[in-house]
């Protein structure tokens, strides 16, 4: 067996740990990618009854992004079981209470439902910020690339960079510039 | 009914009278085509407010537009709401969109740009360009506004008929310039 093939085999049979930065990522878009690593769908030995999935550590889950008015319009349903116990919580309100729940629900609901799903979900570790315990961080060997580029704010550019950027329009004649 | 023509005549008369004193040669004592800036200085307990002429800060990096279209149409850019370096050129220092007589864009692009600017503001990408009393940090906003949001540019409506009239006008003008006899 070649050297590369041997490493590939180690990676296949070992339980790897992957890091995923959720800042500015849509949880509904990344759940297929996360599921692929959690279940081990990318491995050649994959079978529904083979327990070959990896661990995924998701950081910055408080900074997830939704498109348009999704924060207001998206509702999460819960029923206590008693009559009149139904509640519909907007996504932003749920995110106020628990910043990891929307991401966990997105991954959980994307997976096909059977009892094995609970076992797979145990391998998903979500942290609302980048403070990850040392015993988790030391296992990580791979980082999953972000699906959506993080937008740059205007304050992240330097003043010279903004001034030297090509200008499309000029001020008209007799335009009064404000002081700041 | 009677007053309107009288005022019109008066206006015309005033125009004629001013024209008599303006020299016909293009001679100007002060530069007429310059930007103005308001300076407020305090000299010995007196506040002096004056309008001073300044050169345009964008002069060196301006893209020359030789087309008949507006600057954005002639460049053919696909502007997204994350392109803050482009969008910040169309706003004032407090973040409000400049009117069409200042930007010089066509109606379609002006509408599109103002939508994109509002998207960039809502996404918190241009928080420095805001009124002085505002909270500049987007994470300190109320309710759902404090969370990260991105937008889809395809939700901005584009009026096809307007594009069609512009296209037709350009073709017509081109035909006229080709054979000026007709
Ligand atoms: Zn145009």
């Amino acid at each position: 067996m070649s050297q590369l093939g041997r490493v590939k085999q180690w990676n296949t049979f070992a339980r790897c740990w992957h890091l995923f930065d959720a800042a500015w990522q849509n949880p509904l878009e990344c759940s297929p990618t996360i599921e692929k690593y959690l279940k081990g769908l990318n491995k050649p030995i994959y079978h529904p009854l083979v327990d070959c999935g990896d661990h995924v550590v998701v950081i910055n889950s408080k900074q997830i992004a939704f498109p348009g008015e999704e924060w207001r319009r998206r509702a999460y349903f819960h029923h206590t079981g008693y009559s009149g116990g139904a509640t519909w919580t907007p996504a932003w309100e749920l995110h106020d209470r628990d910043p990891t729940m929307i991401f966990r629900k997105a991954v959980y609901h994307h997976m096909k439902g059977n009892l094995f799903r609970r076992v797979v979900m145990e391998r998903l570790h979500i942290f609302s910020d980048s403070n990850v315990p040392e015993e988790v961080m030391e296992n990580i060997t791979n980082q999953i690339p972000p699906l959506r580029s993080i937008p740059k704010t205007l304050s992240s550019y330097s003043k010279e960079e903004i001034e030297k950027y090509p200008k499309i329009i000029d001020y008209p004649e007799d335009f009064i510039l404000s002081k700041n | 009914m009677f007053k309107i023509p009288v005022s019109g005549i008066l206006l015309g008369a005033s125009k004629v009278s001013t024209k008599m004193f303006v020299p016909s040669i293009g001679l100007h004592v002060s530069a007429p085509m310059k930007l103005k800036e308001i300076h407020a200085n305090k000299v010995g307990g007196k506040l002096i407010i004056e309008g001073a002429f300044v050169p345009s800060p964008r002069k060196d990096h301006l893209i020359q537009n030789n087309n008949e279209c507006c600057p954005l149409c002639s460049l053919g850019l696909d502007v997204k709401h994350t392109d803050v370096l482009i969008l910040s050129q169309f706003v004032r220092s407090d973040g409000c969109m400049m009117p069409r007589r200042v930007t010089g864009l066509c109606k379609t692009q002006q509408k599109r740009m103002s939508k994109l600017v509002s998207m960039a503001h809502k996404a918190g990408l241009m928080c420095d360009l805001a009124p002085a009393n505002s909270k500049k940090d987007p994470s300190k906003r109320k309710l759902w506004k404090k969370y990260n949001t991105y937008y889809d540019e395809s939700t901005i409506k584009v009026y096809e008929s307007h594009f069609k009239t512009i296209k037709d006008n350009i073709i017509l003008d081109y035909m006229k310039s080709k054979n000026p006899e007709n």
Side-chain angles (χ1 to χ4, degrees), chain B residues 69-74 105-107 109 166:
Chain B
C69 321
C70 72
L72 260 176
C73 285
S74 60
L105 301 175
C106 63
K107 267 186 185 174
Q109 290 289 356
I166 290 171

Side-chain angles (χ1 to χ4, degrees), chain A residues 24 26 63 65-68 71-72 96 148 154-155 163 166-172 174-178, chain B residues 32 34-36 38 56 58 61-63 82 85 89-90 93 103 125 128 143-144 146-150:
Chain A
W24 285 95
N26 188 345
Q63 297 174 37
F66 269 130
W71 280 113
R72 241 187 322 164
D96 272 346
R148 183 170 278 285
L154 193 64
S155 47
E163 268 173 16
K167 296 287 182 287
I168 291 170
I169 55 158
D170 199 0
Y171 295 113
D174 272 17
F175 182 79
I176 298 171
L177 287 169
S178 57
Chain B
K34 263 186 180 174
L35 296 174
K36 285 177 188 168
I38 295 170
S56 171
R58 298 184 176 180
H61 306 287
L62 187 70
I63 301 170
T82 47
L85 286 175
Q89 298 174 20
F90 302 114
S93 61
T103 57
L125 302 178
D128 282 4
L143 309 179
W144 59 87
K146 57 179 171 276
Y147 294 126
N148 290 342
T149 313
Y150 64 91

Side-chain angles (χ1 to χ4, degrees), chain A residues 75-108:
Chain A
Y76 284 87
F77 177 75
H78 180 252
H79 203 293
T80 56
Y82 294 96
S83 60
T87 50
W88 288 266
T89 316
W92 65 270
E93 229 175 294
L94 190 72
H95 207 56
D96 272 346
R97 289 178 205 165
D98 187 0
T100 62
M101 197 179 259
I102 287 181
F103 205 99
R104 184 170 285 113
K105 273 178 179 285
V107 178
Y108 183 80

Side-chain angles (χ1 to χ4, degrees), chain A residues 66-69 148, chain B residues 81 118-120 122-123 149-153 155:
Chain A
F66 269 130
E69 298 188 332
R148 183 170 278 285
Chain B
H81 77 282
S118 72
M119 281 178 178
K122 283 177 188 174
T149 313
Y150 64 91
Y151 291 92
D152 187 7
E153 283 83 10
T155 53

